[in-house]
Amino acid sequence: MIVMKFGGTSVEDAAAMERVCEIVRCRLSSKPVVVVSAMAKVTDQLVAMGQAAGRSDSDSALAMSRAMRERHYNAASELLGTGLFTRFHAELESDFNALDELLRGIAAVGEITPRSTDAVLSFGERLSSKIVAAAFSAHGINSALVDARACIITDTTHTRALPLFDEINARLLAQVQPLIQQGIVPVMGGFIGATLTGTPTTIGRGGSDFSAAIVGGGLNAERIEIWTDVDGMMTTDPRLCPQARRIKEISFDEAAELAYFGAKVLHPATMLPAIQKNIPVHVLNSRNPKNEGTRITARAPHCRNAIKSIAVKKRITIVDLVATRMLMAHGFLRSVFEVFDRHRCPVDMVSTSEVSVSLTIDSNEAIPAIANDLQKLADVKYAGRKAIICLVGENVRETPGIAGQVFGSIADVNIRMISQGASEINISFVIDEDDVPRAVQLLHQKFFAEVDPAIFE
Ligand code: ADP
Ligand code: ASP
Ligand code: MG
């Protein structure tokens, strides 16, 4: 069997869902399980609705919900035709009524918690998966809707819940495997799950890719397909650099590194189940399904270019610590990391000197509290609006002088921190967010003016 995941733009309206029907139809002999995101922008809108309700502004929340209801009804009626839609309408209606009731409840309390946020967000994928499953049936594809909340069981860390793999795998075998064996296409929402007691959870923004990989891992898929709005993984984000080229083949390690350092095309956790079970991941374009996309496998063929791709992670804060008292006494770094651990805040890059440490973290609301705790250990300064640029490729480890080429090509960009070596396949550094477009274009020009035709297109 294979897993096919369709992102938000791939299910953004009736026309996009029609394309999904055709793409899936062509793969029926591979026994697909289909995982879908919410329709494009819906998750952002649900976040906004929850926040409005949290401010007791139920009028705004309900107005947004009405517009969303309209959009889903339109897509469904266009896909199903009036006859089928009349029967299906009641199902969507009861979901939207439940959403409105939830929003009114949140507005009455005047507070939105991570738990109620997840309840609100869960509607995006619940609705899209329902419509896609109905569209499959209307288009003659034998399909069944599977409620992700009954399969994707997580811990209770709302908004970024961690999957409980043993529990999930048992449920996938019990609920999804039999459908596949009967020739039915299971359809489920990505991104959402539930706790062991059935409370809805979400696994982090952009998490439908991860859901697809969890399902693929649990069912030992032959392949995980990530269908999106670009031709595959590219040499950089095409929105930043229109000259970006498609990468035909890339290794698990390279793709994982790129995803971790901001290549939004894959959620950073996607590669974990794939690597564990050695399942190839293909990134494909639902608007251009004939294109071969990118194949991500354990070993990629040799590439003549020094690097494969440039990733950018924005919204980074640099934290500088100057240890006046402890002068790098042993145990100092441990105490520093304990602070980040206490705030459950991952650190991306670290660099040290005799008396100072610089670290980068994702910008977040807890930074003042983190700085306050760090103040007890050292003098603290922090600055936001930074970005990590990360150049990835397996050749990095054996290309002499690569750092010189990188920094030489962006000589007039102010570089705040550098890291090379931790993984041997990346060079990363921190710059101001405002310098990102220029730096990426210069680097792209330097490293991809000529490309190895076996690897890039
Ligand atoms: P989906 O809704 O299908 O999950 P996303 O918006 O999450 O799609 O991811 C696709 C987007 O990722 C692309 O439109 C592109 O702008 C962005 N992106 C960033 N880095 C890369 C890259 N290296 N290769 C391809 N796309 C990238
Ligand atoms: N709909 C979710 C989001 O926008 C999950 C996803 O699209 O992968 O974050
Ligand atoms: Mg995505």
Side-chain angles (χ1 to χ4, degrees):
M1 56 82 56
I2 62 170
V3 178
M4 303 176 77
K5 175 262 173 177
F6 293 90
T9 43
S10 301
V11 295
E12 66 187 350
D13 55 20
M17 290 188 192
E18 296 268 6
R19 287 195 290 271
V20 170
C21 291
E22 288 324 304
I23 292 168
V24 170
R25 192 196 304 287
C26 293
R27 296 278 204 272
L28 287 177
S29 60
S30 305
K31 300 186 182 297
V33 171
V34 172
V35 174
V36 295
S37 292
M39 292 167 78
K41 307 254 158 62
V42 161
T43 307
D44 289 338
Q45 289 159 358
L46 288 166
V47 168
M49 276 177 222
Q51 285 168 348
R55 297 188 301 269
S56 294
D57 183 358
S58 57
D59 287 351
S60 305
L62 293 171
M64 288 187 259
S65 162
R66 263 197 305 283
M68 186 176 286
R69 185 190 288 248
E70 200 67 23
R71 178 171 169 209
H72 284 78
Y73 285 3
N74 286 342
S77 72
E78 210 176 304
L79 279 162
L80 304 179
T82 1
L84 281 176
F85 179 63
T86 318
R87 269 177 280 153
F88 183 65
H89 178 259
E91 281 195 41
L92 291 185
E93 185 168 48
S94 85
D95 279 342
F96 275 106
N97 291 347
L99 171 62
D100 287 352
E101 200 176 318
L102 179 59
L103 292 171
R104 281 191 203 98
I106 293 168
V109 181
E111 185 192 8
I112 176 113
T113 61
R115 182 180 159 129
S116 51
T117 299
D118 277 352
V120 172
L121 295 192
S122 73
F123 280 92
E125 271 72 7
R126 285 160 61 185
L127 290 156
S128 64
S129 57
K130 236 175 220 180
I131 299 177
V132 168
F136 281 180
S137 303
H139 286 69
I141 298 170
N142 194 0
S143 73
L145 179 68
V146 173
D147 189 340
R149 294 166 299 171
C151 289
I152 306 298
I153 305 306
T154 70
D155 71 0
T156 57
T157 321
H158 284 284
T159 74
R160 45 180 181 175
L162 295 173
L164 305 179
F165 286 98
D166 291 342
E167 190 65 36
I168 292 173
N169 293 346
R171 294 185 187 218
L172 288 169
L173 287 179
Q175 296 174 38
V176 181
Q177 183 88 321
L179 297 171
I180 305 171
Q181 278 160 355
Q182 293 164 61
I184 297 171
V185 178
V187 178
M188 58 195 271
F191 177 55
I192 63 175
T195 63
L196 277 165
T197 53
T199 308
T201 52
T202 61
I203 59 174
R205 293 302 307 272
S208 295
D209 302 329
F210 187 26
S211 301
I214 294 169
V215 173
L219 295 172
N220 291 307
E222 270 160 59
R223 182 169 80 237
I224 298 162
E225 296 184 348
I226 305 292
W227 290 84
T228 182
D229 60 355
V230 283
D231 275 343
M233 288 196 97
M234 321 275 282
T235 48
T236 191
D237 186 342
R239 281 184 228 190
L240 276 175
C241 179
Q243 292 81 24
R245 317 280 285 256
R246 172 170 69 94
I247 306 168
K248 297 186 201 170
E249 305 226 20
I250 192 166
S251 70
F252 284 154
D253 292 346
E254 290 169 325
E257 202 85 352
L258 286 168
Y260 184 78
F261 282 103
K264 191 188 166 217
V265 62
L266 282 182
H267 182 276
T270 314
M271 300 312 299
L272 297 174
I275 292 172
Q276 248 168 20
K277 296 273 179 87
N278 194 14
I279 304 171
V281 176
H282 291 192
V283 181
L284 296 149
N285 187 349
S286 69
R287 291 190 186 137
N288 185 17
K290 293 227 157 58
N291 190 287
E292 289 166 357
T294 301
R295 265 167 45 88
I296 312 172
T297 56
R299 295 179 68 87
H302 179 75
C303 170
R304 293 213 300 268
N305 288 66
I307 63 161
K308 285 270 182 65
S309 186
I310 306 167
V312 180
K313 192 167 175 181
K314 289 198 184 164
R315 295 196 70 247
I316 294 294
T317 293
I318 289 197
V319 182
D320 293 312
L321 298 169
V322 180
T324 40
R325 285 147 292 167
M326 304 188 61
L327 285 171
M328 287 298 165
H330 97 104
F332 173 70
L333 282 176
R334 193 190 62 200
S335 328
V336 168
F337 281 103
E338 271 167 2
V339 170
F340 290 98
D341 190 38
R342 228 177 8 258
H343 290 273
R344 305 193 61 172
C345 174
V347 173
D348 287 328
M349 272 170 66
V350 186
S351 84
T352 62
S353 78
E354 194 202 351
V355 291
S356 61
V357 189
S358 299
L359 312 115
T360 67
I361 55 180
D362 282 0
S363 301
N364 67 67
E365 322 78 71
I367 286 172
I370 293 173
N372 201 34
D373 285 0
L374 291 170
Q375 205 79 58
K376 295 170 194 140
L377 305 170
D379 289 340
V380 185
K381 276 192 298 194
Y382 58 93
R385 293 189 44 77
K386 302 284 176 261
I388 300 179
I389 306 282
C390 174
L391 293 86
V392 173
E394 276 168 354
N395 289 343
V396 165
R397 65 163 80 85
E398 56 228 15
T399 307
I402 185 148
Q405 292 177 45
V406 170
F407 298 116
S409 65
I410 48 166
D412 62 339
V413 174
N414 184 26
I415 293 167
R416 282 293 315 268
M417 240 172 111
I418 299 176
S419 143
Q420 181 185 1
S423 79
E424 292 197 317
I425 64 164
N426 96 44
I427 299 180
S428 18
F429 53 92
V430 178
I431 61 176
D432 284 339
E433 257 183 21
D434 293 341
D435 289 332
V436 164
R438 196 163 54 97
V440 169
Q441 274 153 26
L442 288 168
L443 289 164
H444 197 272
Q445 173 63 27
K446 169 79 190 162
F447 287 97
F448 298 106
E450 278 173 45
V451 294
D452 181 346
I455 304 295
F456 304 96
E457 184 186 65

